[in-house]
Amino acid sequence: MAQPGDFASTVKQQADIVRIVGEYVKLRKSGAQNYSGLCPFHQEKTASFSVHASNQFFHCFGCNAGGDIFTFVQKIENITFPEAVRMVAEKLGIPMPKVSYSSPEEARQARQRGTLLDIHERACAFFQEQLKRPEAAHAREYLKTRGLGPEMIAEFRIGFSPESGFLLRDAVRGQFDEETMRESGLFSWKDKDQSPVTSNQTPDGQAQQKTALYSKFRNRVMFPICTEQGKVIAFTGRTLANDEKSGPKYLNSPETPIYSKSRVLFNLDKAKEAIRKLDYAILVEGQMDCISVYSAGLHNVIASSGTAFAEPQARLLSRFSKKIVVNFDPDTAGAAAAERSLALLVSEDFEIKVLTLEAGFDPDLFIREKGANAYTEALAHSQKYFDYLIERARALHPVRTPEGKVKALNYLLPHIQRIPSRIVRDEMANEIAHRIGIESSVLRQELRHAATARSASRVNTPPKAQLTDAERVLIRALASPDLAHSPQTAREGQDPDFEPARQAHFFLTQERLHEGLSSQALIDTLLTAHEQGLDPMGLPLEENDRRLVASVLMDDHEDLTPELLENAVRSLGKRRILRQLDDLQHQLKDAERRNDAVLSARLLQERVKLRRAMGAGAEGSAVQ
Ligand SMILES: [Zn+2]
């Protein structure tokens, strides 16, 4: 990883971890040097994810993810260390030296991803060019009937894949090798003497040329799918043919090393700023719906592309907002997928509203026929998800009879049980009892029980209890080598020469005050790191120790003053004396039992000394 003096450490020194993490996670200042937010790496309701500004590290007390800025970027972008260094350097505008990878395999993967991005960019440009050609008249006509003008076509980089499967291949063959072409997911092929591997349709009958590769997408309107940064990684192709043989209406790229459908949200690259600013997202089903809503001026719209929302997508979205208006009817065709999406969003603790359009209208058709204003108006009247559910339950099971009430309850219960918060579930049970008109206290009780009986979510607290205050102060001092030099922490009245790490190091190495404590190994490691000028959070600590150090550093509500440090040293000194006295007491009893008068006398003398030292400590002369 980053070694002192190398490029990565240069980048690290200039990077502000709070700012960079802040691009992904909403952070709140929660201490002098400490910021916190909801962890992007696990699902949580209360923030256990913290970032430390002067020590430049992050730690999650929920899932124990932690490390420096590069670990963070690697994890969240799912990239290698060299790629993370490059990415942070790019953000800071630091020119890159030649990249070095830790293994040939890592280098190969990074190169492969880069090449796959290149071929997608090339293909996207190719499809865009093709849309302008005479042969694409029917594609342009289709887009026109869908109400898409030249601006939206350009903004979404919509293109056309020609009928001939060989044009794309011939266009990219000079630049990319066959392996890349096969891995890109853009092509199908026939192995010799075999039927096609990935498709059972033949291309347009042209004689086979050098290879059997041909474009997977033929005679389709092409919608590029992009990463959050706007890089094209896949396509959806909408067929323009009417016959069954031409394959599915919508054809998606297969999963590739750069594309995993559960990790991508269509249009997030263009929508993310608006989602963050407005603090909610509009979720629609298909790409056409998404483009229509976007062109109506509502830029915070994303599409799940017809499949059920997956957990990584929910996490991805939650980095921008946890509020969502879902605009697909859970009643219609994709009902099962919609239902699963909503269930997932509930369990990921999103605040959900449902926008129900008149029967027969999807967002695209609604906007084309009624206009953008009508859609905005409808959006303003979207309903809270649970109000919507209760209404549905009442419509499906008339609640005038006791049987109807029980049926309505049974319809609602599984939905309620997905809510992560017990308190919210309990409130919901009351609300339902009220709205469905359940007077029977027995039934109410049962409903509340069913709603709340769900494994309570685990509460994660930092492991404070494992350390005494004194140990915490000393660990904090040892782990903050440049605290005194940091302008952010130089407080009024503070001794300018006070270097907590140096002083803590002095006391601890002189007196070995931490001997015998559970934190002994950790403190020894930190002492060595201090001597070698190493970053404490960069040390290969055990998970529990790393967690301890993180929790100590994050908890910086009290200024680290010389007094605080002295008190800590004194307290540890006292505790050591107490341990020694205890020891002595045992030895003394032993000596008396064996009638060893000489030893007893010596031990008694020692006890006097220790008691005196104890008293001196209490009066304030530090251990120095
Ligand atoms: Zn976490």
Side-chain angles (χ1 to χ4, degrees):
M1 301 276 121
Q3 299 295 327
D6 69 5
F7 181 70
S9 86
T10 311
V11 173
K12 193 171 159 176
Q13 271 165 22
Q14 293 181 43
D16 176 3
I17 192 169
V18 176
R19 199 180 62 76
I20 291 176
V21 172
E23 289 175 17
Y24 299 91
V25 180
K26 271 193 188 175
L27 290 175
R28 231 168 14 85
K29 201 166 194 310
S30 55
Q33 292 295 316
N34 173 7
Y35 294 76
S36 64
L38 293 175
C39 179
F41 304 121
H42 83 283
Q43 188 231 313
E44 64 176 5
K45 217 181 134 58
T46 50
S48 47
F49 176 86
S50 302
V51 182
H52 199 276
S54 59
N55 283 70
Q56 292 285 304
F57 73 96
F58 73 98
H59 190 90
C60 172
F61 294 100
C63 67
N64 272 335
D68 63 9
I69 181 61
F70 300 130
T71 320
F72 180 84
V73 173
Q74 251 181 283
K75 227 171 133 65
I76 201 147
E77 296 284 354
N78 198 21
I79 53 180
T80 60
F81 177 73
E83 287 172 293
V85 173
R86 169 187 294 269
M87 194 161 171
V88 175
E90 273 172 8
K91 282 179 198 284
L92 297 170
I94 303 172
M96 280 295 292
K98 236 169 110 33
V99 193
S100 58
Y101 292 95
S102 64
S103 71
E105 177 55 19
E106 198 177 75
R108 195 193 64 79
Q109 283 174 10
R111 224 177 14 247
Q112 182 197 41
R113 273 197 291 273
T115 317
L116 288 176
L117 287 176
D118 290 346
I119 196 171
H120 275 83
E121 177 54 39
R122 180 70 194 89
C124 187
F126 170 84
F127 294 140
Q128 284 182 286
E129 284 156 31
Q130 292 295 315
L131 185 64
K132 296 179 182 129
R133 297 178 62 86
E135 303 88 276
H138 63 310
R140 293 193 296 272
E141 185 54 35
Y142 167 78
L143 290 169
K144 206 167 147 191
T145 62
R146 301 304 301 254
L148 284 184
E151 287 137 54
M152 282 301 127
I153 291 174
E155 181 153 11
F156 282 87
R157 304 190 67 189
I158 297 169
F160 170 65
S161 57
E163 184 71 47
S164 162
F166 300 118
L167 291 176
L168 175 64
R169 182 195 67 192
D170 294 342
V172 303
R173 186 139 67 182
Q175 276 171 275
F176 301 95
D177 57 28
E178 193 169 313
E179 195 199 340
T180 303
M181 289 165 71
R182 284 174 193 261
E183 276 178 343
S184 71
L186 295 167
F187 296 94
S188 301
W189 60 86
K190 283 181 176 182
D191 282 345
K192 287 215 171 73
D193 311 321
Q194 274 174 22
S195 52
V197 174
T198 53
S199 164
N200 53 16
Q201 313 127 40
T202 44
D204 50 5
Q206 261 180 295
Q208 306 243 325
Q209 297 175 6
K210 276 187 219 158
T211 85
L213 284 184
Y214 55 93
S215 176
K216 187 170 283 185
F217 300 95
R218 297 181 305 280
N219 193 24
R220 288 174 183 269
V221 170
M222 301 298 288
F223 300 95
I225 297 169
C226 300
T227 63
E228 194 192 321
Q229 282 81 29
K231 294 199 169 117
V232 181
I233 49 172
F235 292 93
T236 296
R238 196 317 186 163
T239 188
L240 291 166
N242 297 316
D243 55 282
E244 302 272 294
K245 276 198 310 187
S246 52
K249 191 168 165 193
Y250 290 96
L251 181 65
N252 290 309
S253 291
E255 305 258 316
T256 66
I258 56 169
Y259 173 61
S260 159
K261 69 174 194 291
S262 65
R263 294 181 183 276
V264 176
L265 288 167
F266 181 75
N267 198 42
L268 185 63
D269 55 320
K270 290 193 257 310
K272 61 183 181 183
E273 279 320 309
I275 293 173
R276 201 181 311 224
K277 215 167 93 199
L278 301 168
D279 195 14
Y280 80 97
I282 304 168
L283 177 66
V284 295
E285 218 160 357
Q287 276 110 337
M288 276 313 302
D289 290 330
C290 187
I291 296 171
S292 289
V293 173
Y294 187 91
S295 68
L298 298 148
H299 287 183
N300 54 332
V301 61
I302 49 172
S304 59
S305 306
T307 54
F309 223 66
E311 219 176 282
Q313 289 171 312
R315 300 264 163 83
L316 181 61
L317 181 57
S318 67
R319 285 177 16 213
F320 303 96
S321 177
K322 290 215 82 166
K323 293 181 190 153
I324 192 163
V325 178
V326 176
N327 185 193
F328 41 70
D329 198 341
D331 244 355
T332 52
E339 181 89 41
R340 279 205 304 281
S341 297
L342 284 163
L344 178 83
L345 289 165
V346 170
S347 61
E348 294 280 321
D349 209 23
F350 274 77
E351 208 176 288
I352 310 163
K353 285 184 167 184
V354 177
L355 169 55
T356 322
L357 301 171
E358 290 159 57
F361 282 96
D362 59 23
D364 178 37
L365 187 67
F366 187 92
I367 289 169
R368 273 187 288 137
E369 296 212 340
K370 299 179 184 256
N373 288 342
Y375 187 79
T376 313
E377 180 68 23
L379 194 64
H381 290 101
S382 49
Q383 221 178 353
K384 280 187 186 160
Y385 181 47
F386 277 92
D387 289 342
Y388 162 88
L389 279 178
I390 293 171
E391 242 173 56
R392 258 175 69 80
R394 287 165 56 110
L396 289 170
H397 309 287
V399 294
R400 283 180 306 275
T401 63
E403 294 76 36
K405 288 179 187 189
V406 171
K407 277 184 182 160
L409 278 185
N410 285 333
Y411 169 84
L412 289 169
L413 267 177
H415 295 284
I416 295 160
Q417 281 167 334
R418 287 192 194 104
I419 303 172
S421 158
R422 190 178 199 275
I423 298 166
V424 177
R425 288 198 303 277
D426 196 35
E427 278 169 11
M428 202 57 76
N430 277 332
E431 173 79 17
I432 287 168
H434 176 71
R435 297 261 297 270
I436 290 181
I438 297 171
E439 276 99 44
S440 149
S441 61
V442 177
L443 203 52
R444 265 183 188 244
Q445 201 53 44
E446 211 167 298
L447 166 66
R448 287 188 56 182
H449 178 74
T452 54
R454 174 187 191 267
S455 61
S457 50
R458 208 160 54 86
V459 181
N460 288 300
T461 45
K464 275 194 184 156
Q466 300 180 28
L467 294 175
T468 61
D469 284 350
E471 286 167 273
R472 295 176 68 79
V473 166
L474 285 163
I475 289 173
R476 199 177 132 202
L478 277 179
S480 0
D482 49 4
L483 205 61
H485 305 299
S486 161
Q488 292 146 302
T489 52
R491 285 171 214 290
E492 245 177 277
Q494 189 168 307
D495 176 5
D497 296 328
F498 173 57
E499 281 185 57
R502 228 191 31 179
Q503 300 201 14
H505 183 264
F506 173 78
F507 289 138
L508 291 169
T509 46
Q510 289 286 305
E511 310 272 335
R512 297 289 300 166
L513 294 172
H514 55 297
E515 203 91 69
L517 298 177
S518 63
S519 58
Q520 183 182 339
L522 172 60
I523 289 180
D524 278 335
T525 311
L526 290 173
L527 287 172
T528 318
H530 175 75
E531 281 151 19
Q532 297 170 359
L534 296 176
D535 170 14
M537 289 314 284
L539 294 172
L541 296 174
E542 270 177 41
E543 184 167 296
N544 192 48
D545 282 347
R546 173 178 304 281
R547 195 174 152 86
L548 279 176
V549 177
S551 87
V552 166
L553 288 172
M554 292 301 179
D555 184 19
D556 58 0
H557 297 281
E558 200 173 6
D559 280 353
L560 195 55
T561 58
E563 293 72 43
L564 202 60
L565 194 58
E566 264 174 36
N567 285 336
V569 167
R570 196 176 305 135
S571 148
L572 281 193
K574 260 196 201 173
R575 277 182 47 201
R576 191 176 56 173
I577 294 173
L578 283 174
R579 278 201 309 275
Q580 288 171 335
L581 278 171
D582 198 44
D583 236 34
L584 207 67
Q585 203 60 37
H586 281 109
Q587 290 180 41
L588 203 56
K589 263 197 189 143
D590 216 38
E592 278 165 0
R593 212 184 46 228
R594 285 185 283 115
N595 288 323
D596 189 338
V598 183
L599 184 60
S600 293
R602 199 167 61 77
L603 290 171
L604 278 168
Q605 228 171 359
E606 254 180 68
R607 191 168 73 177
V608 171
K609 261 198 245 166
L610 280 175
R611 284 193 171 150
R612 203 174 286 151
M614 183 85 177
E619 275 146 38
S621 76
V623 188
Q624 272 167 303

